[in-house]
Amino acid sequence: METFKYSELTKESIQKLVQRNVDPANEIRALVEDVIEHVKLNGDSALVDYALKFDKVELDKLYLDKAELQEIASAVSPDQQEALQTAYANIYKFHKAQLKEEERIETMPGVTCWRELRAIEKVGLYIPGGTAVLPSTFLMLGIPARIAGCSEIVVCSPPQKNGKVNAFIAYVALMLGINKVYLVGGSQAIAAMAYGTETITKVDKIFGPGNQFVTKAKTIIQSTTTTAIDMPAGPSEVLVIADDTAKPAYVAADLLAQAEHGIDSQSILVCTSQTIAEQTLKEVEKQLAVLPRAEIARQAIDNSYIVITNSLDEAMDFSNEYAPEHLILATESWKQLTPKIINAGSVFLGNLTPESVGDYASGTNHTLPTSSYSRAYSGVSVDSFVKKITFQFLTKEGIQNIGPAVEILAEMEGLHAHKNAVSIRLNNK
Amino acid sequence: METFKYSELTKESIQKLVQRNVDPANEIRALVEDVIEHVKLNGDSALVDYALKFDKVELDKLYLDKAELQEIASAVSPDQQEALQTAYANIYKFHKAQLKEEERIETMPGVTCWRELRAIEKVGLYIPGGTAVLPSTFLMLGIPARIAGCSEIVVCSPPQKNGKVNAFIAYVALMLGINKVYLVGGSQAIAAMAYGTETITKVDKIFGPGNQFVTKAKTIIQSTTTTAIDMPAGPSEVLVIADDTAKPAYVAADLLAQAEHGIDSQSILVCTSQTIAEQTLKEVEKQLAVLPRAEIARQAIDNSYIVITNSLDEAMDFSNEYAPEHLILATESWKQLTPKIINAGSVFLGNLTPESVGDYASGTNHTLPTSSYSRAYSGVSVDSFVKKITFQFLTKEGIQNIGPAVEILAEMEGLHAHKNAVSIRLNNK
């Protein structure tokens, strides 16, 4: 990890440091467009072809049903079941509180406006498989979808070599009351959910992480169909702000937890103390030595860096420029810092709140904006699975009160039919 | 307007009827990409070039300052000022209520999670000019941006022939406390706000309607930069559900108000009464005869249609398939219908609530999802100008309570560094 002094960085060098992952996968666009076109034209048969080609599996049917999921899920041990149930309960509790009825506002006498929530009817969840099986992601997407009340939840996950899904995925499906999992992965899964096939329903919005092919497919369907996506995605990242109240061993563990995700992950340390930074680097080496995924983590750590600042405020300035997906405040003074946070996905406060707890079970969602998208995007929540529809109702008094202003405004914009829709009601008392 | 009987429509013919405007502007993509590239490379000088080429104006500077805006705004008459202030007050009141602090949730003893709002720091508002000057759009975007607390609001609007903006735009800018309006229109404005130029700040999110070039530019920058957009956009549309309690003259006025927007607008009538439908058609002809924009409205009406249903429930089924931007319930029985609404942008209840009031002044936002995007998208609100950042804080008790479950879950996913970030805290009491 290279170390920079904040006071020596120019505005341009900061911009260069925080820059990452701007559409690196554009060279695969044509490839992904081909897959999408093939699925659009040939439906299920294209999906069977791709399963053979990419997943090396010959599928006789495209999904697992409830009985099959139950059989697969029986391999989950009691303590694993309990851990999944703890995660489920916490995620459910936090997300359930996000669903709120809104009050009615009388903006003028007789003019009442309000918003009502409606679940997005049909949603698609993409759950990665292969080497990285992520039951936690399934919980993070399935629970808010259920709380929102989506009437159809389509789940796609790539088949393993045995033509099935992993036991944890099957178990989570059943926890969520989802009785069918489609054995479809990659950009073909995104195409299937965006266009529909003989067996897979066309959905209104697609959620979930994936490799660069999945991500590219989501970007393409977002701009070429009416199907929405949760958010743009890039490699995962963490930024840790530490001062001399931080514990180097904890900070190192947090940096490595991020680094083991993939060689393109970033683990940034912004530190007010040169000593703590040096101790953390030593701890990184020590802990790295015994990690099963050390090779991946090593490469990610090599792509990461340390910034030494003179104050926590400077550290926060750098963090806001970086706009991290995960922000850890490894300091006992975190309370003074939180009001200064402008850009971040999810924030972990103090020395006893590792990112891992949010990844799995604290209750917050782990589907978060990466690659500086936290400047404009929020993480997934129940909000992501609903629409807020506005309503307005005018009484006789209401149209009399507001009508004249609307007539003038419509005339200002040269829209006389707009004006007339009011006048005809005002004049016909 | 062609008339269809709902009972005679197949599922396929309904799909065909509701289908509209799926990326019709793809042939202009290359053109727009050129403009974006030119602005990205040449900044302000490209904008000056395009003003000359497209707006036929030679600009000596790219913006109007406060003094210039004040001079231009002095042309707004007192009754126009009052109408704009009424709109401002209602929109402000409705949107202000959307800004709410959220409660803290203790998901397990010692594990506390919550969300805090943060304004998107830099936002760009595109306000169309030329033939359609829309001060109302400026209010609809500027008010929630101010309520959210965005620290920088960049406004672009194409220059008129005199090298200025319209008086109403200038007046609204000053109402909003915006002291600079950039004289930039079209796809070049979107490019300038996405990439930044010498004088225009790069923004995090771009809002606002526009012609097909503007819309295409927004789609492109959404998928190629980290700048977000409010929503995809298509031509405006209304769907009116009417029964025999509707007033044909009012319904006709509402259909025409939509139709005058543009020849590609749609005005759909879904009616349980053949008689009301026929009377409405007669009223359309009568009112059309005296409209200044009759030529435009005539073409839009010719592209529109009527569906006759046997019940209000069937009418609502069709409406949910159509997923209209604006939905008018021209029936005294609207209360029984609202729970059945699944897809709509904004809803107008009863015979005395024309869409015009929402377009201008009831308080709801008029920037809404068109082209069936209301299946997955909401209209603009204060939510569109903020991010919700999640926070979590664990006490010693908290990490003891949640830690063991997280260790098991991390192990299930084969992520040992994730596990270690918890273990190291559990073991170091």
Side-chain angles (χ1 to χ4, degrees):
Chain A
M1 291 173 93
E2 199 175 346
T3 301
F4 302 92
K5 280 219 164 68
Y6 186 73
S7 59
E8 293 167 6
L9 293 173
T10 62
K11 214 179 150 185
E12 288 68 37
S13 54
I14 290 173
Q15 284 312 312
K16 221 173 142 191
L17 272 180
V18 304
Q19 176 100 11
R20 57 210 187 269
N21 185 46
V22 179
D23 201 31
N26 213 31
E27 67 274 17
I28 64 167
R29 173 178 270 272
L31 221 87
V32 172
E33 281 174 340
D34 276 354
V35 171
I36 293 174
E37 199 56 26
H38 191 40
V39 173
K40 189 177 160 188
L41 287 176
N42 302 301
D44 286 349
S45 83
L47 300 178
V48 171
D49 289 351
Y50 285 126
L52 193 59
K53 184 172 173 191
F54 296 134
D55 307 307
K56 316 291 178 205
V57 175
E58 204 170 334
L59 296 176
D60 53 348
K61 74 180 180 0
L62 275 172
Y63 59 88
L64 298 168
D65 61 23
K66 189 175 178 180
E68 291 166 313
L69 291 170
Q70 282 169 331
E71 200 195 316
I72 298 168
S74 63
V76 180
S77 74
D79 65 328
Q80 288 169 334
Q81 291 184 26
E82 203 185 321
L84 285 166
Q85 277 153 12
T86 298
Y88 187 101
N90 289 353
I91 298 165
Y92 190 91
K93 191 169 180 186
F94 183 61
H95 285 74
K96 182 73 181 175
Q98 293 164 2
L99 200 64
K100 284 205 180 65
E101 206 169 309
E102 301 198 3
E103 62 197 314
R104 298 185 178 214
I105 308 289
E106 195 170 24
T107 52
M108 278 182 120
V111 179
T112 308
C113 303
W114 67 96
R115 298 196 293 182
E116 292 185 19
L117 300 189
R118 292 292 187 277
I120 296 174
E121 219 178 352
K122 296 166 192 167
V123 296
L125 312 185
Y126 183 77
I127 312 298
T131 53
V133 175
L134 301 177
S136 58
T137 297
F138 200 176
L139 288 174
M140 294 291 177
L141 301 176
I143 292 171
R146 278 286 177 232
I147 291 171
C150 301
S151 57
E152 190 156 353
I153 303 177
V154 176
V155 177
C156 287
S157 194
Q160 296 182 302
K161 293 274 173 290
N162 64 359
K164 296 178 182 176
V165 294
N166 161 292
F168 305 128
I169 300 292
Y171 186 83
V172 170
L174 298 168
M175 281 178 99
L176 291 164
I178 291 168
N179 295 325
K180 205 178 247 187
V181 172
Y182 292 95
L183 296 161
V184 185
S187 48
Q188 60 273 26
I190 306 305
M193 295 192 279
Y195 285 100
T197 69
E198 299 90 323
T199 61
I200 297 180
T201 306
K202 171 185 179 348
V203 303
D204 302 317
K205 189 169 182 179
I206 296 174
F207 295 78
N211 61 22
Q212 58 177 345
F213 297 95
V214 169
T215 300
K216 182 54 73 183
K218 284 171 68 185
T219 315
I220 293 171
I221 68 105
Q222 178 187 36
S223 65
T224 52
T225 74
T226 55
T227 298
I229 65 170
D230 47 358
M231 69 183 86
S236 194
E237 66 208 18
V238 70
L239 187 146
V240 182
I241 291 181
D243 64 7
D244 49 21
T245 65
K247 305 210 186 276
Y250 296 2
V251 174
D254 293 338
L255 295 173
L256 286 169
Q258 193 55 242
E260 77 174 336
H261 270 300
I263 57 166
D264 50 3
S265 292
Q266 276 201 327
S267 298
I268 311 299
L269 173 60
V270 186
C271 191
T272 60
S273 158
Q274 183 80 45
T275 315
I276 294 283
E278 282 162 12
Q279 289 171 349
T280 300
L281 273 177
K282 274 184 202 145
E283 275 288 338
V284 164
E285 289 305 323
K286 193 174 130 193
Q287 295 178 24
L288 194 50
V290 295
L291 273 190
R293 293 167 71 97
E295 207 177 320
I296 291 169
R298 158 70 63 202
Q299 289 182 68
I301 287 290
D302 287 347
N303 288 330
S304 300
Y305 55 85
I306 298 172
V307 177
I308 304 290
T309 64
N310 287 319
S311 66
L312 285 173
D313 279 358
E314 274 186 7
M316 189 50 76
D317 287 345
F318 184 84
S319 174
N320 283 327
E321 273 307 314
Y322 188 88
E325 179 191 14
H326 304 99
L327 171 61
I328 300 177
L329 301 185
T331 160
E332 283 166 15
S333 313
W334 58 266
K335 274 189 187 162
Q336 72 177 65
L337 277 183
T338 59
K340 294 170 184 155
I341 298 170
I342 300 172
N343 302 315
S346 192
V347 185
F348 302 81
L349 301 169
N351 291 314
L352 292 179
T353 313
E355 188 204 307
S356 302
V357 300
D359 290 339
Y360 289 111
S362 65
T364 61
N365 208 290
H366 81 194
T367 311
L368 296 165
T370 55
S371 306
S372 88
Y373 283 112
S374 68
R375 291 179 166 279
Y377 293 85
S378 309
V380 162
S381 69
V382 174
D383 303 354
S384 317
F385 291 89
V386 300
K387 303 153 301 182
K388 293 189 178 178
I389 302 178
T390 48
F391 288 78
Q392 48 248 290
F393 175 67
L394 270 61
T395 61
K396 272 183 198 170
E397 188 197 7
I399 185 83
Q400 297 298 329
N401 282 335
I402 203 173
V406 174
E407 290 181 307
I408 293 168
L409 291 162
E411 195 144 3
M412 282 164 61
E413 296 191 353
L415 296 175
H416 292 267
H418 280 65
K419 181 185 176 185
N420 189 48
V422 169
S423 309
I424 204 168
R425 285 165 166 100
L426 286 177
N427 300 334
N428 188 11
K429 292 172 195 178
Chain B
M1 292 174 91
E2 200 175 345
T3 301
F4 303 92
K5 281 220 163 70
Y6 186 73
S7 59
E8 293 167 6
L9 294 173
T10 61
K11 214 179 150 186
E12 288 69 36
S13 54
I14 290 173
Q15 283 312 313
K16 220 173 143 190
L17 272 180
V18 304
Q19 176 101 8
R20 58 211 187 269
N21 184 48
V22 179
D23 199 33
N26 213 30
E27 67 274 15
I28 64 167
R29 173 177 269 271
L31 221 87
V32 172
E33 281 174 339
D34 277 355
V35 171
I36 293 174
E37 198 55 26
H38 191 39
V39 173
K40 190 178 159 187
L41 287 177
N42 302 301
D44 286 349
S45 83
L47 300 178
V48 171
D49 290 351
Y50 285 127
L52 193 60
K53 185 172 173 190
F54 296 134
D55 306 309
K56 316 291 177 204
V57 175
E58 204 171 332
L59 295 176
D60 52 349
K61 72 179 181 3
L62 275 171
Y63 58 90
L64 299 168
D65 61 23
K66 189 173 181 183
E68 291 165 315
L69 291 170
Q70 283 170 329
E71 199 195 318
I72 298 167
S74 64
V76 180
S77 75
D79 65 327
Q80 289 169 335
Q81 292 184 26
E82 202 186 321
L84 286 166
Q85 277 153 12
T86 297
Y88 187 101
N90 289 351
I91 298 166
Y92 190 91
K93 191 170 179 183
F94 183 61
H95 285 74
K96 181 75 181 172
Q98 293 165 3
L99 200 63
K100 283 204 180 69
E101 205 170 308
E102 301 198 4
E103 62 197 313
R104 297 184 180 215
I105 309 290
E106 195 171 22
T107 54
M108 278 182 121
V111 179
T112 308
C113 303
W114 67 96
R115 297 196 294 181
E116 292 185 19
L117 300 188
R118 291 292 187 279
I120 296 175
E121 218 177 354
K122 296 165 190 166
V123 297
L125 312 185
Y126 183 77
I127 311 299
T131 54
V133 175
L134 300 177
S136 58
T137 297
F138 201 175
L139 288 174
M140 294 291 176
L141 300 177
I143 291 171
R146 277 287 177 231
I147 290 171
C150 301
S151 57
E152 190 156 354
I153 303 176
V154 176
V155 177
C156 286
S157 194
Q160 295 182 302
K161 293 274 173 292
N162 63 0
K164 296 177 182 176
V165 295
N166 159 293
F168 306 129
I169 299 293
Y171 186 83
V172 170
L174 297 168
M175 281 178 98
L176 290 164
I178 291 168
N179 295 326
K180 203 179 250 187
V181 172
Y182 292 95
L183 296 161
V184 185
S187 47
Q188 59 273 27
I190 306 304
M193 293 191 281
Y195 286 99
T197 70
E198 299 89 324
T199 62
I200 297 180
T201 306
K202 170 185 182 348
V203 303
D204 302 317
K205 189 168 182 179
I206 296 173
F207 295 78
N211 61 23
Q212 57 177 345
F213 296 95
V214 170
T215 300
K216 182 54 71 183
K218 283 172 68 185
T219 315
I220 293 171
I221 67 106
Q222 179 186 35
S223 66
T224 53
T225 74
T226 54
T227 299
I229 65 169
D230 48 357
M231 71 183 85
S236 194
E237 66 208 17
V238 70
L239 186 145
V240 183
I241 292 181
D243 64 6
D244 49 21
T245 65
K247 305 210 185 277
Y250 296 2
V251 174
D254 293 338
L255 295 173
L256 286 168
Q258 194 52 242
E260 77 174 338
H261 271 299
I263 58 167
D264 50 4
S265 293
Q266 276 202 326
S267 299
I268 311 299
L269 174 60
V270 187
C271 192
T272 60
S273 158
Q274 183 79 47
T275 316
I276 294 282
E278 282 162 12
Q279 289 171 349
T280 300
L281 272 178
K282 274 184 201 143
E283 275 288 338
V284 165
E285 290 305 321
K286 194 173 129 195
Q287 295 179 24
L288 193 50
V290 295
L291 272 190
R293 293 167 72 97
E295 208 178 317
I296 291 169
R298 158 69 64 202
Q299 290 182 66
I301 286 290
D302 287 347
N303 289 330
S304 301
Y305 55 86
I306 298 172
V307 177
I308 304 290
T309 64
N310 288 318
S311 66
L312 284 174
D313 279 358
E314 275 186 7
M316 189 50 76
D317 287 345
F318 183 85
S319 174
N320 282 328
E321 274 305 316
Y322 187 87
E325 179 190 14
H326 304 98
L327 171 61
I328 300 177
L329 301 186
T331 160
E332 283 165 15
S333 314
W334 58 266
K335 275 190 188 163
Q336 71 176 67
L337 277 183
T338 58
K340 294 170 184 155
I341 297 170
I342 301 173
N343 302 316
S346 192
V347 186
F348 303 82
L349 301 168
N351 291 314
L352 292 178
T353 314
E355 188 204 307
S356 303
V357 300
D359 292 338
Y360 290 111
S362 65
T364 61
N365 208 289
H366 81 194
T367 311
L368 295 164
T370 56
S371 305
S372 88
Y373 284 112
S374 69
R375 291 179 166 279
Y377 293 85
S378 309
V380 162
S381 69
V382 174
D383 303 353
S384 316
F385 291 88
V386 300
K387 304 153 302 181
K388 293 188 177 176
I389 301 178
T390 48
F391 288 79
Q392 48 248 290
F393 174 67
L394 269 61
T395 62
K396 273 183 198 170
E397 187 197 6
I399 186 82
Q400 297 299 330
N401 282 335
I402 203 173
V406 174
E407 290 181 308
I408 293 169
L409 292 162
E411 195 145 2
M412 283 164 60
E413 296 191 354
L415 296 175
H416 291 268
H418 280 65
K419 181 185 176 187
N420 188 49
V422 170
S423 309
I424 203 167
R425 284 166 167 98
L426 286 177
N427 300 335
N428 189 10
K429 291 172 198 179

